[in-house]
Amino acid sequence: MSVEKRTKSIDLSHHLSELSKARTTSPLKGLQKYFSQPGILSLAGGLPSPAYFPISDVSANVLIPDSFALVPTESSTSFSWLWKLFGSHTSTSEKTQGVTIPKYSANDGDINLAHSLQYGPSVAQQQLQVFLREFTSEVYRPAFEDWSVLIDTGNTDGWSRAVTTLCNPGEGVLCEEWTYPSALASILPLNIQPVPVPMDGVGMKSDALENLLSQWDPVSRQMPRPHVMYIVPVGQNPSGSTMSITRKKQIYDVCVKYDVIIVEDDPYYFLQLGTYIFKEDRSSGATPSGRPSPKESKRFVSTLTPSFLNFDYQGRVIRLDTFSKTIAPGSRLGWFTCNPLFAERLERQGETTTQAPCGFGQSIITKILTHWSYDGYIRWLRGIRTEYQQRRNFFVDCLAEEFHLQPMPADTVADIWQGCIVYQASSKVKTIAEKHATQNLTMLSFVPPVAGMFVWMKLHLDQHPSFSPGDENALEMKLWTKLAENGVLFAPGWMFSAKELTGDTDHADSGHFRVSFSNVEFPDLKKAVTIFGRVIREFFEEDL
């Protein structure tokens, strides 16, 4: 919907939970609107005097926005990858600029500790509020005009607050069949159940969603038809898929038809890595501008798949954003973007729970963002995207060196990877004298992720010598344990299965691992893949 045609959000108050409806303004927090009134002499709140805060100022050396290159620094030669592997990536000193946050500011409106470390409103410090509104407007471009932003302590907190604002005990939440386990763990104690929807290569299937909702029988399901959806559309956790524009529009249309609220959890939005290209086929390509500029910011934003907000002309999307993946998870800072009704209810909840994110984190993140400016932050995001792209490429390159990878054409693939080129991995004979019983045996398969931080592996456990139907979880954990005993930890796949929680354990004779390439350095990534190759070969050769 074009900006010219934007309208206000529709009335969605019937989606509020009974708990949310019962929330009133916190008696003391209700006085906040008077605190900023010029000349007010406030003796109402129990606010400690800033004179007794034992910190005079906070200083930090902040990396410059263009600290990371915009194209991979290595070429496609084997030697350059060895250099990357054994060379020190920290040999070049970091370029930084100093920033300081004083206790008291000389100018009105400047960030200061006297304000940041004091009790404050649940929305955001003013400077951060201004930045987030500009950022949301430029990047996500909501299709309705009266949207609001509200801070939280990260997306886990955001989801917890959203689901209790919208759902009553005994209801269900629509989600992808494989999803983020903490999102499900937070709703189960509330007697709110996951309702899995089948996936393909770009995420949740719109036709499956339509079929599920149109045929919903509240008696047999023992719950009303779900009216809330939890979805991770970019760098889907755990599969690494990214939802296309067409699919998002289809999902949104179904949600309009059946009156469903979409909670869009999007922590990996700026880690859209593109399609993996094998090492020997890569070329450096044109180098984009390295300096922050409005032109390059606009170009970068245009390459990103749009948010659900961009299609949301009714205000039925609650978007969750976080600085955890783009600045630091310890900052515990994120934000909602949603209609004003939902924002007001979420604010009421924040007043009596977290109140507001930590003042240190808020002030430091706000200082960094205002120091960089919007264009500087976009330049930072472009750089870290390239860094994670290199990590993804290196990890998949290591898999290609350790295993023989056989591509399966996209039109032959079904289920979660339907429409994708899937790589099936078997043992690679690296020398003439070397042979394995698993040489022609498909032990695992995967699709290189197009976004996020993970490779989702399917384990072909039906090829194990001792396999019997129903052994999937036991064999998955047996292999996982062997890897752990050899010094490598992967995330076992069962914990990401929404179907497991509904009693549906049919996963087509397979197990899964989610493998992160985001944190471990290149030499250890290489070592981990080598150990994995040895252990999985031994595992599949048992009893042969």
Side-chain angles (χ1 to χ4, degrees), residues 126 235 290 369 400 447 537:
Q126 180 61 29
L369 295 173
V447 173
R537 284 192 295 269

Side-chain angles (χ1 to χ4, degrees), residues 220-250:
S220 63
R221 291 277 191 166
Q222 298 184 321
M223 71 173 74
R225 191 175 69 196
H227 64 104
V228 175
M229 173 189 292
Y230 172 81
I231 192 166
V232 184
V234 175
Q236 199 275 338
N237 188 359
S239 74
S241 66
T242 290
M243 190 170 284
S244 65
I245 295 175
T246 299
R247 180 64 60 81
K248 280 185 175 178
K249 289 181 177 179
Q250 292 169 345

Side-chain angles (χ1 to χ4, degrees), residues 424 442-445 458-464 509 540:
Q424 294 187 330
T442 298
M443 297 179 289
L444 64 104
S445 57
K458 177 180 179 179
L459 306 172
H460 292 248
L461 299 175
D462 56 329
Q463 301 297 308
H464 191 273
D509 303 334
F540 275 93

Side-chain angles (χ1 to χ4, degrees), residues 33 42 61 211 222 289 310 323 329 459:
K33 62 182 179 180
S42 176
N61 292 319
N211 291 338
Q222 298 184 321
S289 170
N310 192 237
F323 291 107
L459 306 172

Side-chain angles (χ1 to χ4, degrees), residues 319-365:
R319 179 178 171 85
L320 307 181
D321 275 288
T322 178
F323 291 107
S324 292
K325 306 301 189 291
T326 59
I327 293 185
S331 66
R332 303 317 307 143
L333 186 60
W335 75 96
F336 301 95
T337 305
C338 59
N339 69 55
L341 170 71
F342 290 168
E344 188 273 337
R345 291 290 86 194
L346 291 165
E347 183 181 353
R348 296 290 81 79
Q349 183 176 1
E351 287 175 346
T352 54
T353 53
T354 57
Q355 295 196 25
C358 173
F360 287 108
Q362 261 200 89
S363 59
I364 292 172
I365 296 297

Side-chain angles (χ1 to χ4, degrees), residues 144-155:
F144 64 103
E145 67 177 33
D146 57 337
W147 51 274
S148 299
V149 295
L150 177 74
I151 57 171
D152 55 42
T153 60
N155 283 14

